[in-house]
Amino acid sequence: MTIRILPAIGDPDAARAVSSLLHQLPDAEPAPTVGDSVALLHALAGAAAQGAGGAAAGAPPAAGRPAAVEALPEVVLVHERIGPTPALDLIREVALRFPAVGVVLITTDAGPALFSAAMDAGARGIVGMPLGYDELAARVQAAAQWSAGVRVHLGGSPEAAPGPAGTLVTVTGAKGGVGTTVTAVQLALAARAAGRSVALMDLDLQSGDVASYLDVQFRRSVVDLAGIQDISVRVLQDAVHDHHTGLGLLLAPEEGERGEEVDDRAARQIIGALRSRYEVVLVDCGSQMQSANAAAVELADLALLVTTPDVVAVRAAKRQVRLWDRLQIRKAEDTTTVVNRLTRNTEIQPPLVAKATGTQVARTHVPAAFKELQPCVDAGRIQDLDGRSTVKQALVALAAELGLVDSPSVRQSRGSHRARPTLGGRKRKAITPGAAPGSGGIPGQASGPASGAGPNPGPRFGGRRGSAAAAGPGPFDPSGPYEEG
């Protein structure tokens, strides 16, 4: 059989040596080398998604196996100096998310201690450096045979779900109080209302408020999964609270000091277990960056950064993006910023936020309408927020923009521009030519039949507001430079 091999090697010299030997192996089909852990996971996820898409288009998988499995390579080679994720953590992540792929570790230290640690992480073998043809061929063939056996087993079990099943979305605040948790909860509720299975994980380990917003009292938390090496479905079910809204909640600990027990390794393993069971995994990362939520942001398919349109919050967002870049967690261009509490008179508008942070800014902005939120927040039942609320409608539209719900569902229950709320939360009256004073029309005109909006009806909800042409130049001109200090 043909053995598809995907090498993940960060060292250029080692990559050339491995590539040369792989092309000499019989029946081997080596793929181009990927240089870091992020590229490896994206390549595997893309292969699984492509296989599932082929099945949906009518292309049957070979030998009755699931298409998502059939599209994956049989063997992945991981070099010990891969980054930014450590090699053993990367092997554990691949073994958890892609159980039908055999992983082989390439290392200069092939001692018993490392061998045992690699086997515990899920590797199928170790190859010592300098590389030898016979040893590499033996390890690759053994891993490929193991992978073939697993795929036969998965093909005969319709309940087995290979590969990553869930989209991971992280929500991080530029600073405290910008609306991170409300955004995460409402996005999760929107995805659940669209019919998807959704898990909401609270990784704000010291001061998480997901339980308070959803009126939940549950003795289990993410800490209970931190010390478990192999998270089975039964163990995960015991730790996840099934909320009456349909969300699966994995909460932060009641004792904030216990959050230190959740490190990056535990976070990766827990997130992998959630993604294997839920279609969408929302993670509330709070505003304080620790190893656990840093790992979540690194693994995320979509990383959201929530900020408010004020100088302090925008500067905090800029610092957060720079921190992620320095630590090689995530690049600015791969981050999406969500502007919360925006009004038409706000001097700092989304184009300036994009320019200051270097990130993409979501087209959907959340209006400033805390009066709509306050009753639900005070009652601890944010899930009861009225569907007519401008905040809820904006967050549902944001979920559609991110691909968490179908776009047509966003437009339901929306009337014409006459009934659409403005960013400030007030409903605009219809502009009727010839209406009498005090009747909702233009003062000073005679009454007459309503024939639609006047010649200048004003901007619609969701349009560009606060531009230089409308409000005049201010101290925060989007076209001018942005300087801190």
Side-chain angles (χ1 to χ4, degrees):
M1 74 173 185
T2 301
I3 303 174
R4 291 166 296 177
I5 306 170
L6 177 58
I9 304 171
D11 183 13
D13 295 334
R16 285 191 294 268
V18 171
S19 178
S20 176
L21 287 177
L22 290 179
H23 282 88
Q24 301 177 30
L25 297 180
D27 300 326
E29 187 180 306
T33 303
V34 295
D36 56 50
S37 58
V38 177
L40 172 63
L41 294 175
H42 284 178
L44 292 175
Q50 183 179 5
R65 301 171 190 166
V69 170
E70 192 65 25
L72 291 169
E74 284 78 16
V75 180
V76 168
L77 301 179
V78 175
H79 190 258
E80 63 179 353
R81 294 165 66 181
I82 195 72
T85 305
L88 293 180
D89 290 341
L90 179 60
I91 292 173
R92 186 177 290 107
E93 179 73 13
V94 172
L96 185 63
R97 292 175 56 185
F98 308 94
V101 175
V103 185
V104 177
L105 175 64
I106 301 176
T107 176
T108 56
D109 177 19
L114 181 61
F115 181 85
S116 177
M119 294 301 105
D120 290 340
R124 302 309 307 170
I126 289 182
V127 177
M129 294 189 70
L131 294 173
Y133 174 86
D134 293 337
E135 184 181 11
L136 179 62
R139 296 294 176 266
V140 166
Q141 290 175 1
Q145 291 175 359
W146 175 87
S147 174
V150 171
R151 295 176 190 219
V152 171
H153 172 72
L154 291 177
S157 175
E159 297 181 357
T167 299
L168 176 61
V169 182
T170 58
V171 185
T172 308
K175 66 181 188 66
V178 297
T180 309
T181 302
V182 171
T183 301
V185 171
Q186 288 297 329
L187 289 178
L189 290 171
R192 183 69 190 101
R196 300 189 177 185
S197 59
V198 182
L200 177 58
M201 180 180 181
D202 196 346
L203 268 185
D204 188 0
L205 297 173
Q206 292 186 353
S207 54
D209 288 324
V210 168
S212 299
Y213 275 101
L214 292 173
D215 191 23
V216 172
Q217 292 182 351
F218 193 60
R219 61 188 180 89
R220 298 286 187 185
S221 72
V222 64
V223 174
D224 296 307
L225 298 177
I228 301 177
Q229 295 293 331
D230 185 13
I231 302 177
S232 63
V233 175
R234 177 69 175 271
V235 171
L236 190 65
Q237 287 177 342
D238 291 340
V240 173
H241 173 70
D242 293 326
H243 197 252
H244 67 83
T245 58
L247 299 179
L249 303 180
L250 187 55
L251 304 173
E254 287 286 343
E255 304 84 7
E257 65 274 11
R258 295 197 63 194
E260 297 179 356
E261 300 177 28
V262 185
D263 56 9
D264 57 340
R265 182 206 61 80
R268 294 175 189 277
Q269 189 171 5
I270 295 169
I271 290 172
L274 289 173
R275 295 182 72 177
S276 66
R277 185 182 175 195
Y278 294 91
E279 295 179 78
V280 178
V281 179
L282 266 295
V283 181
D284 180 1
C285 294
S287 58
Q288 298 296 321
M289 196 52 40
Q290 301 168 339
S291 61
N293 45 27
V297 172
E298 181 186 340
L299 294 172
D301 299 306
L302 294 169
L304 306 183
L305 182 61
V306 182
T307 185
T308 49
D310 56 84
V311 174
V312 176
V314 172
R315 285 178 173 171
K318 189 174 182 179
R319 288 196 302 270
Q320 188 76 273
V321 170
R322 287 177 172 178
L323 173 65
W324 289 351
D325 185 64
R326 289 195 304 270
L327 298 179
Q328 297 183 358
I329 296 173
R330 200 171 194 89
K331 296 180 180 179
E333 55 268 26
D334 296 332
T335 304
T336 301
T337 299
V338 178
V339 181
N340 189 22
R341 300 174 194 156
L342 184 69
T343 65
R344 64 167 58 185
N345 297 321
T346 302
E347 293 179 330
I348 299 181
Q349 290 292 315
L352 180 58
V353 177
K355 184 177 180 180
T357 60
T359 63
Q360 306 177 43
V361 174
R363 298 187 302 273
T364 305
H365 317 305
V366 184
F370 184 71
K371 287 185 179 179
E372 300 174 358
L373 291 171
Q374 189 168 5
C376 297
V377 171
D378 292 342
R381 296 181 60 83
I382 197 67
Q383 68 271 20
D384 294 339
L385 184 62
D386 193 340
R388 296 170 294 180
S389 162
T390 58
V391 174
K392 187 177 183 67
Q393 288 183 0
L395 288 171
V396 172
L398 176 62
E401 180 182 338
L402 299 175
L404 302 180
V405 302
D406 296 330
S407 297
S409 65
V410 179
R411 297 189 293 268
Q412 66 184 2
S413 303
R414 290 194 182 184
S416 66
H417 69 276
R418 301 184 182 207
R420 289 181 183 174
T422 65
L423 286 172
R426 300 183 299 275
K427 291 185 177 179
R428 184 185 297 111
K429 296 180 180 180
I431 301 176
T432 307
S439 64
I442 302 176
Q445 292 185 356
S447 61
S451 60
N456 235 340
R460 297 190 176 189
F461 176 76
R464 298 174 63 89
R465 305 179 188 273
S467 62
F476 298 99
D477 184 8
S479 61
Y482 178 80
E483 297 290 338
E484 293 188 11

